[in-house]
Amino acid sequence: MKNFAYTKASTSSEAVNLLESSVGGKFLGGGTNLVDLMRENIEQPDSLVDISSLPLRDIVENPDGSVTIGASAKNSAVAINGPIRQRFPVLSQAILFGGSGQIRNMATVGGNLMQRTRCYYFYDHASLCNKRTPGAGCDAIHGFNRMHAILGTSSHCIAAHPSDMCVALAALDATVEVESRRGKRSIPFVDFHRLPGDTPHLETELQPGELITAVTIPKLEAARRSVYRKVRDRSSYGFALVSIAAILEIVNGTITTARLALGGVAHKPWRAFPAEELLQGNPANDEVFRRAADGALAGAQGFHYNAFKIELAKRVIVSTLSELAQNEGA
Amino acid sequence: MMSILMTLVQTAARFMPDAKRDPLIDSHGYVGKPLDRVDGHLKVTGGARFAAEYALDDMVYAEPVFSTISKGKVRRLDTSVAKRCPGVIAVLTPHDMPRLKAPTLVDFSKLDKIAASNLPVFQDDRVYWNGQAVALVVAETHEQAQEAATKVHVEYDIEDSNVSFDANKARATMPKDVLGEPPEIKIGDAEKNLAAAPVRVDAVYRSPYYSHSAIEPHATIAVWEGDDKITVFDSTQFVEGYRNSLAHVFGIKPENIRVLAPFVGGGFGGKAGFWWNTVLAVAAAKIVKRPVKFALSREGVFRIVGGRTIAEQRVAIGATVDGHVQSLIHTGVTATPSHARYAEQCTFPTRHLYATDALHIAQYVVDLDMVANTWMRAPGESIGTFAVESALDELAVELRMDPIDLRRNVEPKRDPTKDNEFSSRHLLEAYERGAAKFGWAARNPQPRSQRDGSWLIGQGVATAYYPVLRLPGAARVRVNADGIATIHTAANEMGMGVATSQLQHAADRLGVPLQCIEFNYGDSEMPSSPMAGGSCQTVSIVASVRAAVEKLHRELLKLEQQDPASPLKRAKYDDIVARDRGLFLASEPSRGATYVDILRRAGKQHVEAEGTSAMPMEMMKYSMASYGAQFCEVRVNDITGEVRIARWLGSFDCGTVLNPKTAMSQLRGGIIMGIGMALTEEVLVDDRSGRIMNASLAEYHVPVNLDVPHIDILFNDIPDPHTPLGAHGIGEIGITGVAAAIANAVYNATGKRIRSLPITLDKLL
Ligand SMILES: Cc1cc2nc3c(=O)[nH]c(=O)nc-3n(C[C@H](O)[C@H](O)[C@H](O)COP(=O)(O)OP(=O)(O)OC[C@H]3O[C@@H](n4cnc5c(N)ncnc54)[C@H](O)[C@@H]3O)c2cc1C
Ligand code: SF4
């Protein structure tokens, strides 16, 4: 890996200033993704601004019922946080399904949002990748694409976003709080990550110089009955082939709130809005769930090694929803 | 290799009398006890030093540049930028290299040199596989070398290559031999019998390319003294083979080369073949005239060390309605590059396992432009048992017969292809004991009949098989005046617990407490010992130590005969037993002398003897193998196709168990590796480029703890009368039969027969 400058910031404004004054600088969270990518020479920052000890670790319940999670909070800390576990179990579960204990202990919330795809060709300099080298081509489309996207792909890139935590945050309608020298702003979570289009190297709406300071989850009573299901190639320590974050509220047999987000299927955590519409206001039965699953996967395109994900995703949606519905009934 | 001479020797061997039964088979001391590993403390406290952990003065570090094409020529290699990087001492290319001889492929009649590939290392500008090393940076620190390696600019003239197994398998040819055995065997007309058989199964089984993924990546530290002396610390599982191979490649006398490998972090066959990294480290040390450390990254291991090759096998069985097998056909194609020529012995289990009226065995290889394939834990037998044991299960289903009953039907009286006697075969007993403990009788043979919520449950069984090998070797034994004994033999410890079981044996053989012996190994200067491979090391060393101890005891008796005061003055070798720290008359237990006593009276500081074990004639006379029955229960998610192993029981027939604790650990390790082989592991080679795309442990999925259930191990513990201590090797048999047992259980759970490994969930959707 190439040499780089290293500084450690103690406040968010210091972090922002340090980054702006550096050339080719990057923030360093837990380093579990960035350092890997640097060792692989995919990321080659000239300087790192370490933000792991910023006072952004708290998880706070706000008066309006929302919860704010500091961007430097460790993934493990979020997963075991009492209010999160009670009010947003889907988030706690999603995190615990990710990586290994060691990785979750290092990884931060901000870093998790910004982690990059695990596409084999993205990692391999001998391969063509539009994300690494815009315009070069994409070796994954006709290559090993088992881990790749089936929704929202483009002819330029079919990579999938690897995060579990983000799938839950998408379902929870979170917002991402960011800060830069230009001030602060909030970005709705569902808009934070981008689809590849013809610019797969642009992955999020975060602008150069912007620091993620927190993620805020709005109050949602229905989320107390939420669940995360992850399907992967081994029991642990594997990225999702398909995952689902689901929230379901049923009153008198009718679905009053439905939130559904999918992981492992798109360049971003995939909020399945059409499916939610098909659920909302309808009876909670398998037929409705099946229609919702079809709706969620409408327009999905499979590739040589991942076409199975379409059927898999549908099955997981139906079974997860009916499980939630059964628990509701109980 | 199947020369006339060999055939003669084999014929002669059959008429030779057996070697004398080892008396220790029938006595009980340390052997058979579940002792803790003597190196356990060192391992868990970090005290055990591995090859890469030796810090030598003035040492520098090497990092390779890997080719990105699968065949062609390096047209231009621009090292100018790399050479200017901080800390860089040299950037080696074929132009800078000393002229080296091409390594010699392993020859199974000698097993002295051991290269996995016979390509000359770094001697020209040719590229033979994607990932081959094309330059080597040497720098003051490893980080500097890594950084500079990214700055080496390589241009290629690309040539057409063959990298796809499927596109090329049609042009597979029959190799001259398969590990010295004939590639084809025909008994009767198997195809005709098959066509006429009332019940038939005929299927094709696929398995992918696998990587050993030993936890310790390959590493070498090389030091030259002058122009003709080399010391090498290496992660090898065959110190002597590496010494001989280095001697050949560098044109130096073997005596001037010392290879040290006291601890190796897993090998599984991946560190037995002699690979480029060792040659490059030694060459670099010669060029820069400083000690060079070349420790491969995980990616590096995937790029320049091969694994188990991709394979496609056909097994067809024809049987009568009552389960008498009339035809058994097992053919297979495996891949190998022309510079390795290693045909994996996938048909070997079928040659020896089952009785049949007619048999057809045939193996083919297709040469691909790929890194040399090599031995990987039970090479051949692992994938071969997947095919034949799946097919047998398919036959049981067709016959509506319990698969264990079917195995009873096909149990042969003599070896089906060699037509000789089994030295010790108690497979059915292993099945019976296993079935009882596992609760096999309660299994419902009807697929999809057991369920727990969305999880379907099924049980499967398969035979495990691995041949018994022994290779001649030597050991040096010494007893000192203080009663402490030392043993030296160039053995290799890659995590199995060699020292522990050998100490147990030596203590019994010498009749001294275990604490009074030192076992020294892992050094090519010690008496010759075979590689830690083919599951042969333990038994081979037992034989060498036995030979050495016999010589030592004879020496000691000679001293006694010269001493008028000796209680053993008139004792002959056959009259004595070793116990209580000395030698005693068998007929008169109170009469004898301790080693301390004998040495004191003779005025000696020590007595030493080196013994060499006999040629393994028993292997030629008998059909010798270990057997086992693998039982498992799987859960298959009916919605997602996820497969999880719920419980496992392996019941083994592998001779005397020297140490149940280390033995169980070996077998469990094999079973776990088999679970990976069955469910998750696959090296992904891109058919367009021949490039390995998942060269990391994040993407090459070995099983995690959660994938592994509790594993019960049972032993028949019946000694083989024709082996030292009655023991068999056990390093490899554990993995055999595992994938088939899982596939068979998956069938029982779901009604779906998966014939292509790994059994990923998409195949079950
Ligand atoms: C082997 C392995 C397995 C894994 N398995 C899973 C899994 O199953 N599921 C899963 O979800 N994840 C998995 N992960 C990924 C893991 O979750 C991420 O690596 C981790 O969340 C990244 O967080 P970090 O703090 O270490 O980020 P870093 O590596 O420090 O940074 C990642 C990126 O985020 C940027 N960044 C960090 N903080 C901020 C901020 N506050 N503002 C702006 N930019 C910022 C950095 O500049 C960098 O570009 C795995 C990782 C590994 C190595
Ligand atoms: S899928 Fe995207 S990340 Fe992967 S190779 Fe193609 S462009 Fe690169």
Side-chain angles (χ1 to χ4, degrees):
Chain A
M1 91 169 77
K2 91 173 187 198
N3 280 336
F4 56 87
Y6 171 89
T7 48
K8 193 163 187 149
S10 49
T11 65
S12 48
S13 56
E14 187 191 356
V16 168
N17 286 329
L18 280 169
L19 193 78
E20 291 265 322
S21 57
S22 76
V23 191
K26 281 198 100 79
F27 293 125
L28 176 69
T32 59
N33 190 225
L34 182 54
V35 174
D36 251 17
L37 291 166
M38 288 167 68
R39 294 175 62 112
E40 302 282 344
N41 284 301
I42 292 157
E43 299 273 16
Q44 300 192 304
D46 292 304
S47 68
L48 288 183
V49 178
D50 187 343
I51 53 167
S52 59
S53 43
L54 297 191
L56 296 175
R57 289 195 171 209
D58 293 343
I59 300 169
V60 183
E61 291 188 88
N62 302 312
D64 66 355
S66 63
V67 171
T68 299
I69 305 169
S72 298
K74 298 291 186 187
N75 285 190
S76 315
V78 181
I80 60 159
N81 180 270
I84 299 281
R85 288 175 59 177
Q86 281 149 27
R87 296 180 50 195
F88 310 109
V90 64
L91 178 59
S92 171
Q93 291 170 21
I95 293 171
L96 292 177
F97 272 115
S100 63
Q102 295 91 326
I103 287 169
R104 297 192 295 268
N105 287 344
M106 288 299 290
T108 62
V109 168
N112 194 311
L113 263 56
M114 298 298 291
Q115 66 174 300
R116 307 195 68 186
T117 184
R118 314 302 290 201
C119 170
Y120 310 120
Y121 301 90
F122 170 68
Y123 266 84
D124 179 34
H125 286 275
S127 302
L128 301 179
C129 171
N130 286 322
K131 196 184 271 300
R132 228 181 331 101
T133 318
C138 168
D139 270 345
I141 291 176
H142 298 293
F144 289 116
N145 42 38
R146 178 178 179 79
M147 301 307 295
H148 288 64
I150 50 172
L151 286 160
T153 55
S154 76
S155 59
H156 300 271
C157 178
I158 60 168
H161 194 264
S163 172
D164 292 300
M165 183 182 89
C166 290
V167 181
L169 290 174
L172 289 168
D173 256 341
T175 50
V176 183
E177 320 289 345
V178 307
E179 183 178 331
S180 70
R181 281 224 231 160
R182 298 176 293 283
K184 300 185 178 183
R185 64 180 184 124
S186 301
I187 308 170
F189 198 89
V190 290
D191 299 333
F192 184 79
H193 295 94
R194 299 168 53 115
L195 286 178
D198 53 8
T199 53
H201 59 292
L202 302 178
E203 292 165 354
T204 69
E205 291 299 329
L206 199 72
Q207 298 304 308
E210 281 184 323
L211 170 76
I212 301 168
T213 54
V215 170
T216 299
I217 307 172
K219 178 175 172 178
L220 182 66
E221 274 305 306
R224 288 182 188 272
R225 288 162 306 275
S226 59
V227 64
Y228 190 75
R229 171 82 164 97
K230 178 175 180 179
V231 182
R232 49 184 156 178
D233 274 329
R234 57 182 170 189
S235 311
S236 163
Y237 204 47
F239 291 94
L241 290 165
V242 164
S243 68
I244 168 173
I247 302 167
L248 203 61
E249 186 179 61
I250 300 167
V251 178
N252 297 331
T254 302
I255 300 165
T256 49
T257 308
R259 299 274 187 81
L260 207 62
L262 301 176
V265 296
H267 198 255
K268 60 186 287 184
W270 187 264
R271 182 75 178 269
F273 289 114
E276 292 175 11
E277 269 167 44
L278 290 163
L279 292 167
Q280 203 85 32
N282 281 310
N285 61 39
D286 276 5
E287 193 187 327
V288 169
F289 297 153
R290 264 195 294 276
R291 251 186 280 140
D294 288 339
L297 275 298
Q301 182 198 356
F303 296 87
H304 185 74
Y305 290 98
N306 75 354
F308 71 93
K309 282 189 178 185
I310 299 174
E311 172 65 16
L312 178 64
K314 287 184 188 174
R315 290 187 183 197
V316 177
I317 291 172
V318 174
S319 77
T320 307
L321 291 175
S322 61
E323 238 167 75
L324 270 173
Q326 270 163 30
N327 293 348
E328 281 280 270
Chain B
M1 231 175 88
M2 280 301 283
S3 61
I4 298 168
L5 186 68
M6 196 75 171
T7 320
L8 278 174
V9 172
Q10 288 202 351
T11 317
R14 292 206 181 179
F15 297 103
M16 281 194 16
D18 293 332
K20 212 173 83 193
R21 183 181 166 99
D22 184 351
L24 279 194
I25 291 180
D26 308 304
S27 80
H28 299 278
Y30 289 107
V31 167
K33 298 231 157 53
L35 295 192
D36 288 348
R37 298 176 54 130
V38 292
D39 53 0
H41 188 262
L42 276 183
K43 284 274 176 79
V44 297
T45 55
R49 266 215 267 172
F50 294 81
E53 296 178 321
Y54 288 81
L56 305 188
D57 288 345
D58 218 23
M59 189 163 75
V60 293
Y61 299 81
E63 181 71 15
V65 178
F66 301 114
S67 81
T68 55
I69 66 158
S70 53
K71 191 174 177 184
K73 252 170 78 172
V74 174
R75 180 183 346 118
R76 202 167 80 87
L77 199 75
D78 182 354
T79 59
S80 54
V81 181
K83 278 185 174 145
R84 285 197 303 275
C85 285
V88 170
I89 296 160
V91 181
L92 306 181
T93 72
H95 298 288
D96 311 299
M97 288 288 279
R99 290 306 101 197
L100 303 177
K101 280 202 212 125
T104 312
L105 288 181
V106 61
D107 169 351
F108 283 93
S109 64
K110 293 207 217 84
L111 274 174
D112 54 346
K113 297 185 259 326
I114 190 110
S117 154
N118 63 7
L119 287 175
V121 182
F122 252 46
Q123 298 291 300
D124 55 39
D125 53 10
R126 301 286 315 166
V127 174
Y128 296 90
W129 78 89
N130 196 323
Q132 175 190 318
V134 292
L136 188 77
V137 178
V138 182
E140 295 289 346
T141 72
H142 193 199
E143 290 73 17
Q144 288 169 331
Q146 285 175 314
E147 168 63 6
T150 67
K151 300 285 193 287
V152 174
H153 178 75
V154 193
E155 287 170 23
Y156 301 95
D157 288 328
I158 301 177
E159 294 167 19
D160 285 345
S161 62
N162 295 317
V163 296
S164 160
F165 180 80
D166 282 315
N168 289 284
K169 66 188 181 196
R171 58 175 187 80
T173 55
M174 192 171 273
K176 272 209 319 288
D177 66 271
V178 178
L179 284 192
E181 297 290 332
E184 183 165 36
I185 297 176
K186 280 185 165 175
I187 299 173
D189 190 337
E191 290 292 351
K192 197 172 128 213
N193 281 17
L194 180 70
V199 184
R200 278 189 295 266
V201 295
D202 190 345
V204 170
Y205 301 88
R206 287 277 298 222
S207 51
Y209 176 176
Y210 294 104
S211 153
H212 311 79
S213 299
I215 193 69
E216 175 203 27
H218 296 54
T220 311
I221 294 175
V223 195
W224 284 77
E225 267 171 66
D227 273 342
D228 65 347
K229 260 193 115 190
I230 319 172
T231 304
V232 174
F233 299 86
D234 199 286
S235 58
T236 174
Q237 55 191 91
F238 191 17
V239 286
E240 199 178 312
Y242 269 44
R243 179 198 62 195
N244 295 342
S245 297
L246 282 170
H248 169 78
V249 167
F250 285 87
I252 286 180
K253 284 192 258 156
E255 323 60 287
N256 283 6
I257 302 176
R258 183 173 187 193
V259 178
L260 293 150
F263 287 103
V264 176
F268 312 113
K271 294 168 177 167
F274 178 69
W275 299 96
W276 281 34
N277 56 301
T278 303
V279 179
L280 288 174
V282 174
K286 184 177 172 81
I287 293 167
V288 303
K289 299 191 164 44
R290 289 168 70 176
V292 168
K293 169 150 114 185
F294 184 15
L296 286 182
S297 63
R298 180 61 60 185
E299 180 195 353
V301 178
F302 276 93
R303 300 259 177 258
I304 68 171
V305 178
R308 194 195 301 291
T309 180
I310 188 168
E312 188 170 283
Q313 305 173 67
R314 172 190 175 215
V315 178
I317 313 176
T320 60
V321 288
D322 55 356
H324 171 84
V325 172
Q326 300 169 304
S327 171
L328 177 54
I329 298 169
H330 187 169
T331 62
V333 184
T334 60
T336 191
S338 56
H339 50 92
R341 296 201 296 264
Y342 170 41
E344 271 202 27
Q345 58 270 36
C346 59
T347 59
F348 277 19
T350 309
R351 295 171 189 226
H352 309 291
L353 272 178
Y354 300 122
T356 172
D357 296 345
L359 178 75
H360 183 203
I361 297 282
Q363 280 203 226
Y364 302 87
V365 283
V366 55
D367 61 313
L368 295 182
D369 298 305
M370 60 185 239
V371 62
N373 63 308
T374 193
W375 312 299
M376 175 168 160
R377 208 171 201 168
E381 283 83 5
S382 51
I383 52 177
T385 50
F386 167 60
V388 71
E389 293 301 302
S390 292
L392 225 63
D393 200 70
E394 299 201 39
L395 180 66
V397 170
E398 289 297 317
L399 291 166
R400 295 172 191 279
M401 183 181 273
D402 182 89
I404 300 180
D405 288 338
L406 176 59
R407 270 131 184 130
R408 285 194 187 97
N409 273 358
V410 294
E411 178 68 8
K413 298 212 165 52
R414 294 171 70 77
D415 186 287
T417 51
K418 293 198 159 164
D419 192 31
N420 55 358
E421 213 181 302
F422 295 111
S423 68
S424 174
R425 172 164 167 147
H426 310 278
L427 171 60
L428 295 181
E429 182 162 344
Y431 265 109
E432 270 146 35
R433 293 159 56 92
K437 178 109 195 267
F438 186 79
W440 181 258
R443 169 199 189 243
N444 186 338
Q446 183 61 38
R448 300 185 69 86
S449 60
Q450 306 165 72
R451 180 185 276 277
D452 172 14
S454 58
W455 292 89
L456 295 165
I457 298 170
Q459 294 83 16
V461 74
T463 299
Y465 167 87
Y466 194 79
V468 168
L469 304 178
R470 183 177 70 77
L471 294 172
R476 189 165 63 239
V477 182
R478 164 194 287 213
V479 281
N480 294 300
D482 59 0
I484 300 291
T486 60
I487 295 175
H488 287 82
T489 185
N492 308 276
E493 162 62 41
M494 28 175 211
M496 324 77 108
V498 178
T500 311
S501 52
Q502 292 303 336
L503 281 171
Q504 288 175 261
H505 166 239
D508 284 355
R509 194 67 75 185
L510 286 163
V512 302
L514 194 105
Q515 297 71 23
C516 295
I517 312 180
E518 277 170 26
F519 182 72
N520 301 288
Y521 61 93
D523 181 344
S524 64
E525 308 228 302
M526 295 177 187
S528 161
S529 129
M531 71 171 140
S535 299
C536 77
Q537 182 174 257
T538 298
V539 169
S540 301
I541 296 175
V542 165
S544 322
V545 170
R546 183 184 169 194
V549 171
E550 175 171 344
K551 251 177 128 175
L552 179 90
H553 284 164
R554 288 184 189 277
E555 292 290 320
L556 290 166
L557 279 183
K558 266 192 221 152
L559 294 178
E560 290 296 89
Q561 282 150 13
Q562 287 156 22
D563 181 357
S566 166
L568 296 171
K569 191 162 164 22
R570 260 175 278 283
K572 302 228 175 46
Y573 177 74
D574 286 333
D575 302 338
I576 55 144
V577 286
R579 62 169 170 81
D580 296 325
R581 301 172 190 253
L583 300 177
F584 294 84
L585 282 180
S587 55
E588 211 177 323
S590 61
R591 228 177 138 79
T594 63
Y595 297 128
V596 172
D597 216 26
I598 299 173
L599 290 176
R600 184 180 42 75
R601 281 188 279 104
K604 296 236 174 213
Q605 280 313 301
H606 66 258
V607 175
E608 186 177 275
E610 188 168 322
T612 303
S613 57
M615 287 296 291
M617 302 307 271
E618 70 277 15
M619 281 165 54
M620 296 180 185
K621 183 166 182 181
Y622 294 100
S623 173
M624 300 182 78
S626 291
Y627 308 91
Q630 305 271 22
F631 292 82
C632 76
E633 180 168 297
V634 302
R635 294 164 69 87
V636 183
N637 192 296
D638 202 16
I639 296 157
T640 61
E642 292 155 291
V643 180
R644 302 287 181 253
I645 312 292
R647 57 195 183 102
W648 200 281
L649 184 146
S651 176
F652 294 95
D653 175 43
C654 49
T656 304
V657 176
L658 303 188
N659 177 332
K661 193 167 185 176
T662 53
M664 283 187 192
S665 160
Q666 279 293 295
L667 292 161
R668 289 196 176 107
I671 289 164
I672 293 167
M673 214 160 172
I675 291 174
M677 168 182 164
L679 297 182
T680 54
E681 295 181 39
E682 174 170 16
V683 176
L684 300 172
V685 181
D686 193 310
D687 266 0
R688 298 164 298 181
S689 58
R691 191 161 177 82
I692 293 172
M693 295 314 302
N694 57 341
S696 83
L697 288 188
E699 311 297 345
Y700 180 83
H701 290 160
V702 297
V704 296
N705 277 335
L706 209 50
D707 292 315
V708 181
H710 174 72
I711 298 172
D712 261 335
I713 301 290
L714 299 181
F715 294 114
N716 283 353
D717 212 4
I718 303 173
D720 183 332
H722 305 292
T723 62
L725 289 179
H728 288 179
I730 48 157
E732 291 167 273
I733 187 166
I735 192 174
T736 67
V738 171
I742 293 174
N744 298 343
V746 165
Y747 175 80
N748 182 235
T750 65
K752 287 188 183 133
R753 180 63 66 178
I754 308 301
R755 302 188 183 93
S756 166
L757 300 180
I759 305 173
T760 46
L761 57 90
D762 45 299
K763 294 174 184 167
L764 287 161
L765 280 181

